[in-house]
Amino acid sequence: MEAPPVTMMPVTGGTINMMEYLLQGSVLDHSLESLIHRLRGLCDNMEPETFLDHEMVFLLKGQQASPFVLRARRSMDRAGTPWHLRYLGQPEMGDKNRHALVRNCVDIATSENLTDFLMEMGFRMDHEFVAKGHLFRKGIMKIMVYKIYRILVPGNTDSIEALSLSYLVELSVVAPAGQDMVSDDMRNFAEQLKPLVHLEKIDPKRLM
Amino acid sequence: AQQSERSISPPASGEKNGLRGCGAARVPADATRPGRPPARRPRSRLPAPPAPPARVLRAQRCARPAPHLRLRALRGITQPSAAARASEADPLLTPDRLPQYRAGTGSRWAGQVPISLIGGQNLQKLGNRKRKWLRLPRLPQCSPSLLVQREEKQLEASLDALLSQVADLKNSLGSFIYKLENEYDRLTWPSVLDSFALLSGQLNTLNKVLKHEKTPLFRNQVIIPLVLSPDRDEDLMRQTEGRVPVFSHEVVPDHLRTKPDPEVEEQEKQLTTDAARIGADAAQKQIQSLNKMCSNLLEKISKEERESESGGLRPNKQTFNPADTNALVAAVAFGKGLSNWRPSGSSGPGQPGQPGAGAILAGASGLQQVQMAGAPGQQQPMLSGVQMAQAGQPGKMPSGIKTNIKSASMHPYQR
C-alpha cells in the first residue's frame, strides 16, 4: 500500500496530518473479564461502553501496483449514527525510541449512502467483518477490546461466526504528526496491562 | 576512680590553700567587675582565676543533671552537721542565682550548695575566705595556663549547646505528651508522625553536639555533691519541676552521674579490647565476608520474591495467545481469514484444545471427495476442499470430513 496521490486525500482542515499511534495485543476469551476489570480501574471513570460495528474494506485499484484502501464502518447497535469512513496510511515501525506503530489516519463521518458512493467511484469491497466489544478511554488514549466475526454470507450481518477464541486489544492515540511523546504514555499504560495482555507494535507486513 | 583520685588528691603545696570553705559567705563584690548587670554576665568573661583548680569541680548549671552523669567521687560531701549549722544560709544556691553570687550582688552563700554548682575559680576565692566549717578536699595547684582556660571555655560552650538542645527536646516531648493526653480524640496520624520526626531530629542534633570534636568528654568530668540533705528542698523542687524533692544520698548517685555503671564500663572495655585484638587485615576480611553474605542473602530473597510473584500467576492459565494476536491483527489489517470467497492463508487460528487439526487436514488433503456439509459460499469456485475447511469454522469440523479421514487412514490396511 502506497500513499495515495494527494488529490485523492480528503483535505478537511487539519485532519490530514493526524497520525494514529497503535499498540495491539489479544486476550483469550476466558481472561476477558479480568482485562475488563483492570481496564475499568485504569481508565477514565465512565460508563462501560460497548459497540457492535460492521466494517467494510473497499479497494480502488488504479494504475499503481497497490490498491487504495478505505474502510467504512457503521454501528449496528445504534441506529441513526453516522457512518465512519477511515483512511489508514502505511504503518511505520519506527525505531526503539518510539514505542508504538504509527500510521497516517483520516477519519470522516459520512452519511449512510457511503457504500453506494464508493461503488460509484470504482471502489469494490474487499472484505468485511463485524467487530463487537468494549471501548475504554484514558485521556486521549483509546482502548478497544473486541472480537472479530467473519460474515458467512456476504452482506448478511446476522450470520456471523467468531474468527478466533481471543479478543483483539488495541490501544490507539490519534495525534498530530510528530507527537512521539504519546507513545511513551502508551507504553506505560501497556506495561500496566501486563501480564494479562502484551500490547506490542506488530508490523502487519510481517503477517502478510 | 583514678580520675577523681588525681583530681582531688591534696596538693603538696599550700596547706593554707588546701582548706577551702564555702560556707555562708558572701562572695566578695570585687570578685568581678562591678557595674554590669550580673545576671547577664557570661561566665566565660569572669576574670581569669589566679590558680585554676582541677577541672573536676565544674559548674553544673543544669537544674536537672543529666541522668547519665555518674557520681565518681563522693569525697566532697561534707558532714550534714556542718551544713545544718549554716542555718542562715540560703537553702540552695540555684544555678540562676549563681551569677548573682559571682557578681557580688547575691545574698549569702549557701551552706548547701552542691559544689558542682561552683566554678573552680570561685572555689579558689571561697577558699581564701577561710571559712573552715565546710571542708573540701584540697585541690591541686597548677599555674594558670592558656590551655586550661581554653578548655574551660570549650566546656562552657559545649555545656551551653547541650543545655539548649536538651531544653528543646524537653519542650517537644512535653508538647507531644500534652497532645497525646489532651488531644488524643482529634489527633491525626500525620501530626503524630510530625512529632516523632521532630523528636528524632532533635535527638540527632543532640547526638551531633555530643559527638562534636570540640565537645570535651563529659565523662572525664566529675561532679561532687557538697552537701546532702534528707530535708525537702522547695527550691530544688521548683527547679526540677517537682521531680526531685530532696537532694539526698538516694538521688545524687543517679543525678550526678557522668559515667555508666562500672559493670557496663567493664563490658565496654572488654568489647574495645576484643575489637583491638583483631588485626586490620582480619577485620577487613570479616567485613568482606559479611558483605558477601548479606548480598547473597538479598539476592536469594529477591529471587524468592520474584518466583513467588510469578508462581502466583502460574496457576492462572495463559491469558493470551500470540498466534491469536497475529491472526486478529492480520484480519483487521488485510482481512486475512475473513473473506470467504478468497483463498485464505494457511495459518488458521491456532486454538488450544484442537491440536493436530492442521495435521488431520493435511492428511485429508488428498481426498477429493471431501463433503463440505453446511459450508457457505458454494457459489465461489472451490480450489479445494481443504481450503473450504479452513475457511469454515475451525472449531467445528464437519462430521463428513471426519468419517472420510477415518476411511482414508484405514485405506492402506484395506489394500
Side-chain angles (χ1 to χ4, degrees), chain A residues 4-195:
Chain A
V6 172
T7 48
M8 291 175 71
M9 277 195 177
V11 181
T12 51
T15 55
I16 195 162
N17 269 331
M18 296 304 266
M19 307 293 269
E20 186 189 47
Y21 293 77
L22 182 70
L23 286 176
Q24 289 170 310
S26 73
V27 64
L28 288 167
D29 289 356
H30 59 73
S31 300
L32 177 72
E33 275 308 310
S34 325
L35 178 66
I36 297 292
H37 196 76
R38 190 176 290 193
L39 282 171
R40 280 170 74 168
L42 288 173
C43 293
D44 291 345
N45 194 11
M46 59 176 209
E47 280 301 301
E49 208 172 303
T50 59
F51 64 88
L52 174 60
D53 285 353
H54 176 207
E55 178 163 323
M56 286 161 279
V57 180
F58 290 90
L59 296 184
L60 180 62
K61 285 206 168 109
Q63 297 91 329
Q64 302 112 331
S66 56
F68 179 55
V69 183
L70 280 183
R71 293 160 182 274
R73 213 178 236 249
R74 70 179 175 95
S75 173
M76 289 163 63
D77 56 349
R78 266 163 242 209
T81 50
W83 283 50
H84 175 196
L85 181 64
R86 169 165 245 214
Y87 163 76
L88 289 174
Q90 189 78 352
E92 300 165 28
M93 281 298 277
D95 53 10
K96 273 185 188 168
N97 296 326
R98 197 170 60 199
H99 307 290
L101 197 78
V102 180
R103 58 191 182 186
N104 224 311
C105 122
V106 182
D107 291 295
I108 305 147
T110 71
S111 57
E112 59 189 32
N113 53 1
L114 174 67
T115 40
D116 297 338
F117 175 70
L118 289 174
M119 290 299 196
E120 289 296 325
M121 280 182 75
F123 282 89
R124 75 166 185 83
M125 190 161 83
D126 181 64
H127 59 274
E128 59 183 339
F129 62 88
V130 169
K132 183 184 178 187
H134 305 262
L135 175 69
F136 296 89
R137 276 191 294 265
K138 182 176 171 59
I140 58 167
M141 282 190 281
K142 185 168 83 172
I143 300 97
M144 289 200 292
V145 183
Y146 61 97
K147 186 146 224 172
I148 295 171
Y149 295 86
R150 72 161 73 81
I151 294 172
L152 299 177
V153 180
N156 180 4
T157 52
D158 290 333
S159 67
I160 55 174
E161 66 179 9
L163 183 69
S164 78
L165 296 178
S166 292
Y167 277 76
L168 181 65
V169 184
E170 285 187 335
L171 169 61
S172 66
V173 171
V174 176
Q179 302 272 312
D180 281 0
M181 295 88 70
V182 297
S183 69
D184 295 338
D185 294 341
M186 292 171 71
R187 189 198 37 184
N188 291 340
F189 188 86
E191 283 297 320
Q192 300 186 55
L193 292 181
K194 283 178 183 176

Side-chain angles (χ1 to χ4, degrees), chain B residues 69 184 255 363 375:
Chain B
L69 298 180
Y184 56 89
H255 284 188

Side-chain angles (χ1 to χ4, degrees), chain B residues 9-288:
Chain B
S9 62
S13 73
E15 185 65 33
K16 65 178 192 293
N17 277 339
L19 286 178
R20 290 154 211 278
C22 64
R26 189 183 289 269
V27 177
D30 58 352
T32 56
R33 280 164 287 185
R36 289 211 183 186
R40 293 219 199 125
R41 184 182 300 278
R43 300 170 59 196
S44 56
R45 298 187 58 184
L46 287 168
R55 287 165 49 218
V56 259
L57 301 173
R58 283 305 315 161
Q60 170 67 17
R61 296 197 300 159
C62 184
R64 287 180 296 131
H68 67 273
L69 298 180
R70 177 178 170 195
L71 184 64
R72 293 294 286 174
L74 282 167
R75 291 207 197 170
I77 303 176
T78 55
Q79 302 88 344
S81 60
R85 263 190 283 148
S87 53
E88 79 275 31
D90 280 353
L92 178 70
L93 176 64
T94 55
D96 51 344
R97 288 163 69 192
L98 189 59
Q100 291 184 334
Y101 278 104
R102 288 232 174 91
T105 56
S107 57
R108 281 161 300 191
W109 187 249
Q112 287 176 303
V113 175
I115 208 165
S116 57
L117 290 176
I118 308 168
Q121 58 269 54
N122 286 359
L123 268 176
Q124 281 287 317
K125 284 169 223 139
L126 290 168
N128 293 334
R129 301 296 292 178
K130 308 228 181 213
R131 297 297 299 247
K132 291 183 184 164
W133 55 269
L134 189 64
R135 262 165 203 265
L136 277 178
R138 285 167 293 182
L139 297 171
Q141 293 292 297
C142 32
S143 57
S145 84
L146 280 173
L147 186 71
V148 176
Q149 274 184 45
R150 201 162 59 215
E151 276 179 12
E152 298 259 326
K153 268 187 191 170
Q154 244 172 38
L155 189 59
E156 301 270 337
S158 46
L159 268 180
D160 282 344
L162 200 61
L163 278 180
S164 78
Q165 289 304 326
V166 171
D168 284 352
L169 195 57
K170 183 181 151 254
N171 284 340
S172 323
L173 270 174
S175 62
F176 184 40
I177 291 171
Y178 178 85
K179 250 203 256 178
L180 282 180
E181 283 175 351
N182 296 295
E183 301 173 16
Y184 56 89
D185 46 344
R186 52 184 188 280
L187 201 59
T188 61
W189 181 238
S191 89
V192 175
L193 283 184
D194 282 350
S195 300
F196 273 132
L198 182 65
L199 289 177
S200 130
Q202 283 172 339
L203 279 172
N204 266 335
T205 325
L206 187 64
N207 253 335
K208 257 183 214 158
V209 169
L210 282 174
K211 284 182 179 160
H212 195 267
E213 54 179 5
K214 286 203 171 153
T215 303
L217 284 172
F218 287 118
R219 67 167 165 212
N220 289 347
Q221 312 291 327
V222 179
I223 301 166
I224 304 170
L226 207 55
V227 171
L228 297 180
S229 160
D231 302 331
R232 195 182 164 83
D233 189 329
E234 288 305 324
D235 268 340
L236 187 62
M237 190 84 168
R238 206 177 55 243
Q239 284 292 326
T240 58
E241 295 171 1
R243 289 186 187 88
V244 185
V246 287
F247 196 70
S248 68
H249 64 282
E250 243 182 314
V251 297
V252 160
D254 282 337
H255 284 188
L256 299 190
R257 181 185 294 267
T258 59
K259 276 192 172 184
D261 280 337
E263 310 90 75
V264 178
E265 218 171 30
E266 199 55 45
Q267 283 180 4
E268 200 183 329
K269 205 189 274 176
Q270 182 71 34
L271 286 175
T272 318
T273 49
D274 278 359
R277 224 179 29 231
I278 300 173
D281 279 356
Q284 196 61 36
K285 250 180 214 165
Q286 285 190 5
I287 289 170
Q288 272 173 3

